[in-house]
Amino acid sequence: MFGIFKPRTFFNLANTSIFWLKIILVFALIVGLVLALVFSPIDYLQKDTVRIMYIHVPSSWISLFIFLIIGISSFISLIFKVRVFSVYAKSLAPIGLVFSLISVVTGSLWGYPTWGTFWSWDGRLTSMFILVLTYILYVSLWLIIKNYNSAEKITNIVGIVGLINIPIIKFSVAWWNTLHQPASITLTAAPTIHSSMLAPLLIMFFSFCILSLIIFLIRYKYEIINFRVNKK
């Protein structure tokens, strides 16, 4: 059932698609940034500060989505012994770490003019900070533990346990009284954000997804070689 995830498949994908993905990335970034910085209207309360949203929100989404993939991959690797999924998780982790850091930093920069403080230990901010720490732990364990098999097992456990935090981040604004506003875009209701802001937001998210995919494919080619060396 996991035949589609064979290493050769991703090797071929990396070799044939990275160039075109770079072209798409450049085009999408240019369109997204122009719409976000030039044509997107200012907020009547936040003024131009609202433009931080176009970096903060996509970074937050991607950091959550990547860790979700890491957790699922860790489960498959640990329970079903399909070890290549550990390679996928290891390749994705530094990408998710960077985007989670961008999310926290831009959120703080956005929070100060909006809330009057760079940081508040409310539900959303605290759970995002825990996600950053989980990413740091996951990446650090791969660097610290020299035995590949031991590092693989321990990081798989971290990835699975870390999944507990994903729904906490998602529903924190509903479960607790927080400074962070509720989600403007959900799968169960129409967006509450105007189309003039929604369009650049989605384009920037798409751009970051393409960037993440490019970095993942590059890292995967290195990590699968490392995996094969340590597997012998």
Side-chain angles (χ1 to χ4, degrees), residues 40-41 53-54 184-185 191-201:
S40 176
M53 169 181 67
Y54 301 113
S184 300
I185 303 173
T192 58
I193 183 174
H194 193 268
S195 59
S196 60
M197 292 183 172
L198 178 61
L201 181 63

Side-chain angles (χ1 to χ4, degrees), residues 37-115:
L37 300 179
V38 179
F39 293 102
S40 176
I42 63 173
D43 184 78
Y44 75 103
L45 289 176
Q46 302 177 53
K47 306 303 180 184
D48 280 314
T49 306
V50 75
R51 301 188 193 280
I52 298 175
M53 169 181 67
Y54 301 113
I55 302 296
H56 172 73
V57 174
S59 298
S60 302
W61 288 348
I62 290 178
S63 65
L64 289 171
F65 182 64
I66 286 180
F67 200 89
L68 180 63
I69 296 176
I70 290 173
I72 295 173
S73 298
S74 298
F75 179 83
I76 294 173
S77 176
L78 187 66
I79 303 302
F80 296 101
K81 308 302 179 184
V82 187
R83 296 182 63 192
V84 71
F85 277 83
S86 293
V87 182
Y88 300 148
K90 185 182 179 184
S91 302
L92 283 168
I95 305 170
L97 172 58
V98 171
F99 277 112
S100 66
L101 288 171
I102 293 174
S103 171
V104 170
V105 171
T106 55
S108 297
L109 295 175
W110 193 6
Y112 184 75
T114 305
W115 303 331

